[in-house]
Amino acid sequence: MTTQIIRSEWTKIRSVASTVWTLSLALVVTVALGMLVSALTRHGFENMREQDRLSFDPTYISFAGMGLGQLAMIVFGVLVVTNEYSTGMIRTSLAAVPQRGVFLASKVAVATALALVVGMVTSFLAFFLGQALLGSLGTSLGEEGVLRAVIGGGLYMALIAMFSMGIAAMLRSPMLSLGILMPFFFLISGILGAVPATKKFGQFLPDQAGSRIMQVVIPAGDDTPYGPWGGLGIMALWVIAALAGGYLLLRKRDA
Amino acid sequence: MIELEGLTKRYGDKLAVDNLTFTVRPGTVTGFLGPNGAGKSTTMRMILGLDHPTAGSVRIDGRRYQELKDPLTYIGALLDAKAVHGGRSAYNHLLCLAQSNGIPARRVDEVLDIVGLTPVARKKAKNFSLGMSQRLGIAAALLGDPRILMFDEPVNGLDPEGIQWIRSLMKSLAAQGRTVFVSSHLMSEMALTADHLVVIGQGRLLADMSMADFIAQNSQCRVRIRTPERERMLDVLHTAGITAVEKDGGLLEVEGSRAERIGELAAEHRIVLHELSSQQSSLEEAFMQLTAGSVEYHAHTGQAQQTGGTGPAVVPAQPVAADTKKES
């Protein structure tokens, strides 16, 4: 039965235009911005402070576009879920699949699989093109921790999409979901993570913790209490919490 | 077969659906009638397991909706024609529904053909007119070839040709032995399609009877008599045991459909008649009378206030010939 529902969700996701434009935007923005920053870094490396040169992380530099590109991933995750509500399709969908847990799980599974494929392609493309532009400053997949960081970039994008789906399942409205998620990930999380007073808390936010996996060189004096996989684990806990909240509300509410 | 047992839905302190118990049987078109806001759509959503009842239960062929494997093959419903993702084509909309219930893809082509949407199957649903959307919704309901079909206000906003098509479709589905449950707020529409009638007002069951019984019980007949010899006519009627009521303008009115008998009496006593006519309140009036106490939004005009106090009391059952037609 679940196979049927997964096929149905695949038909849904491939038959709307928003899937194509959000995912291609995520890829193009992440890769292009990463290339731009890599090229600029190569030219500005001579003028960099000694301290910065020591903690220079060519892998992380090529992922510089991730902060902006993830916003398109958020839009993808939000629209996959809220499309059902804003059109009223949810009633038709739940009449066809009354097992709401199976319905949500199938939807999230299909969208996550797609986000993971696009995320991996994006991450590898951003890495290779970024390294090419960094030239002699670049690194390679064979270096320690680099492959983990590049695969981690793809995982990070998929998790961001999943987290957005969970939030959207709770809020149901696309405007409300985007209005909360976009500023949060683009501004607030970064500020909380940078200001000393809130840093202790900010580093446990999903994107702050999750993006740790894309770092290969740890800056001197960094006292983050978790490693790359620990950070990704923290992000995964956020994702589980968001999806569990979405499921509980979906089960409880009238459609 | 759809069975409702004490079905109740409460929003805050408002009872939208109040202890509904009735059964929708196969082989007939059952009309679900009530004024706007009577709780028809809420009831239908609860039948489909979309809204959770506060109390009571619904059984579809003896089972709870959640227990149905591939529910679209048991019951197909059209609730809201516009509840479709506008960016998806009609074909893909139906395909994703078919796949979720293990219905083969060729059935999508079949139902598109049945509702006449084959030429626009690949067009995006947002460009559809209301009539086309309604047809798409009906195609979705027919997808699983279900034994039970449920339509919420299917003729709303349709052109005469579309209305005609839906009426005959519902009748043919019932003729195939299927259960057809269709809601409307228009008595006249129900009179043309339904064999059985369930009437609700403010969430409460007001009537559950065959269309023929409803007509017989609720369309009251009167005979109107106009004569220059009023006093003599009254005497004659009184002697014959017929009670007449004097109305304004020298009119006499007799309850019931006894025009022939009264005409014979007048002829026998050589009384001149200027008018002898059977009057019949329309079904629409009967429906308004029945639901008058339970209409949520009253227009405060003279008519509404007059009927406002009568409440959903039992309409006096007059002995009326069973073959009475709607218009006299």
Side-chain angles (χ1 to χ4, degrees):
Chain A
M1 188 187 76
T2 314
T3 346
Q4 284 174 200
I5 299 163
I6 285 182
R7 282 179 64 205
S8 158
E9 289 299 327
W10 171 243
T11 301
K12 279 187 193 173
I13 210 165
R14 70 170 172 76
S15 60
V16 292
S18 59
T19 305
V20 177
W21 69 255
T22 48
L23 291 177
S24 44
L25 205 61
L27 187 145
V28 169
V29 168
T30 308
V31 173
L33 205 60
M35 288 168 70
L36 182 70
V37 172
S38 299
L40 291 173
T41 305
R42 184 185 183 180
H43 290 287
F45 195 73
E46 308 302 317
N47 310 323
M48 229 184 247
R49 287 183 301 156
E50 182 66 25
Q51 197 190 345
D52 289 340
R53 281 195 219 177
L54 281 173
S55 60
F56 179 70
D57 187 344
T59 314
Y60 201 53
I61 286 290
S62 58
F63 292 145
M66 207 64 99
L68 202 60
Q70 68 177 354
L71 297 185
M73 248 337 165
I74 291 170
V75 178
F76 166 73
V78 165
L79 289 185
V80 161
V81 174
T82 59
N83 269 342
E84 293 269 353
Y85 291 98
S86 51
T87 57
M89 178 72 187
I90 186 73
R91 286 184 177 149
T92 315
S93 296
L94 289 181
V97 185
Q99 297 79 14
R100 298 186 180 187
V102 180
F103 166 74
L104 185 65
S106 305
K107 183 176 285 297
V108 171
V110 168
T112 301
L114 199 53
L116 186 64
V117 170
V118 174
M120 283 297 171
V121 173
T122 304
S123 189
F124 276 91
L125 262 181
F127 175 78
F128 286 125
L129 292 172
Q131 300 315 310
L133 287 167
L134 282 168
S136 57
L137 298 172
T139 182
S140 74
L141 280 181
E143 298 291 320
E144 197 193 339
V146 171
L147 184 61
R148 178 259 298 160
V150 179
I151 289 174
L155 292 173
Y156 175 86
M157 283 199 126
L159 285 169
I160 278 285
M162 286 177 97
F163 182 73
S164 309
M165 290 179 232
I167 297 292
M170 287 195 261
L171 298 175
R172 293 188 284 188
S173 146
M175 285 306 139
L176 192 60
S177 306
L178 292 175
I180 288 173
L181 287 168
M182 301 277 264
F184 179 81
F185 280 116
F186 194 59
L187 288 173
I188 300 168
S189 166
I191 293 168
L192 291 177
V195 175
T198 55
K199 199 176 172 188
K200 280 269 173 285
F201 163 72
Q203 63 192 1
F204 288 101
L205 291 172
D207 58 332
Q208 300 279 314
S211 55
R212 180 79 176 189
I213 198 153
M214 292 179 270
Q215 280 181 316
V216 174
V217 181
I218 305 301
D222 182 285
D223 58 350
T224 312
Y226 49 77
W229 292 107
L232 203 72
I234 292 168
M235 188 185 192
L237 289 179
W238 280 95
V239 168
I240 290 167
L243 287 172
Y247 165 65
L248 289 176
L249 283 172
L250 176 68
R251 198 180 60 173
K252 187 171 143 281
R253 275 190 298 227
D254 288 339
Chain B
M1 184 141 74
I2 311 173
E3 294 158 289
L4 281 72
E5 182 72 47
L7 196 67
T8 302
K9 180 68 179 180
R10 181 186 288 277
Y11 295 111
D13 56 356
K14 190 179 174 296
L15 265 179
V17 175
D18 188 358
N19 199 20
L20 280 186
T21 301
F22 63 85
T23 299
V24 187
R25 294 195 162 76
T28 56
V29 176
T30 301
F32 191 32
L33 194 62
N36 286 327
K40 300 187 297 292
S41 297
T42 308
T43 303
M44 288 187 154
R45 287 201 303 274
M46 286 194 284
I47 290 174
L48 293 179
L50 297 173
D51 286 14
H52 306 295
T54 312
S57 65
V58 179
R59 290 280 186 277
I60 310 291
D61 284 342
R63 275 186 280 177
R64 295 192 317 121
Y65 195 90
Q66 278 75 10
E67 296 165 1
L68 299 175
K69 187 184 177 288
D70 299 331
L72 298 185
T73 61
Y74 289 85
I75 175 167
L78 163 67
L79 291 191
D80 175 5
K82 284 289 177 191
V84 172
H85 190 294
R88 202 170 277 140
S89 71
Y91 179 85
N92 281 325
H93 172 71
L94 295 172
L95 181 64
C96 73
L97 292 175
Q99 287 172 330
S100 71
N101 276 249
I103 299 162
R106 68 180 134 73
R107 178 68 185 159
V108 172
D109 296 314
E110 281 174 29
V111 293
L112 279 167
D113 196 45
I114 292 171
V115 302
L117 286 181
T118 307
V120 292
R122 304 281 168 178
K123 294 267 192 312
K124 288 181 178 182
K126 67 179 163 203
N127 301 322
F128 281 15
S129 67
L130 181 56
M132 288 158 81
S133 302
Q134 209 80 297
R135 283 168 188 265
L136 180 56
I138 287 169
L142 296 175
L143 203 52
D145 196 18
R147 300 299 300 163
I148 306 173
L149 287 131
M150 191 164 80
F151 304 110
D152 193 7
E153 305 268 1
V155 300
N156 261 13
L158 287 192
D159 55 12
E161 193 220 332
I163 293 175
Q164 198 63 48
W165 176 73
I166 287 194
R167 280 181 194 152
S168 57
L169 177 75
M170 287 191 297
K171 282 181 179 166
S172 68
L173 289 168
Q176 292 161 14
R178 296 176 211 259
T179 305
V180 181
F181 190 45
V182 53
S183 79
S184 177
H185 60 279
L186 296 174
M187 183 67 220
S188 50
E189 182 55 38
M190 290 292 92
L192 289 169
T193 40
D195 314 302
H196 193 89
L197 211 53
V198 172
V199 184
I200 66 167
Q202 283 194 338
R204 279 190 297 272
L205 188 69
L206 299 179
D208 178 7
M209 59 181 78
S210 75
M211 196 71 204
D213 286 349
F214 185 85
I215 291 171
Q217 284 192 23
N218 290 298
S219 52
Q220 301 169 55
C221 282
R222 288 184 301 274
V223 180
R224 198 157 76 166
I225 310 154
R226 192 197 303 275
T227 166
E229 299 168 86
R230 222 156 63 119
E231 299 306 320
R232 270 191 69 209
M233 188 74 224
L234 273 171
D235 283 344
V236 166
L237 289 174
H238 186 73
T239 317
I242 297 169
T243 317
V245 185
E246 292 186 62
K247 294 276 175 182
D248 297 340
L251 280 172
L252 296 176
E253 262 187 20
V254 176
E255 292 283 322
S257 61
R258 290 177 282 182
E260 293 89 347
R261 177 86 185 102
I262 293 164
E264 284 160 13
L265 281 171
E268 202 177 299
H269 293 89
R270 304 186 66 77
I271 299 175
V272 174
L273 292 185
H274 289 169
E275 181 184 344
L276 177 68
S277 60
S278 282
Q279 308 281 316
Q280 192 166 35
S281 58
S282 69
L283 281 177
E284 207 69 54
E285 281 167 19
F287 168 57
M288 279 169 69
Q289 194 94 35
L290 187 63
T291 57
S294 59
V295 174
E296 182 153 21
Y297 311 105
H298 265 302
H300 284 285
T301 60
Q303 183 62 36
Q305 273 163 2
Q306 267 176 28
T307 54
T310 55
V314 181
V315 176
Q318 289 290 327
V320 171
D323 61 346
T324 314
K325 292 286 183 290
K326 196 182 145 226
E327 302 295 336
S328 53

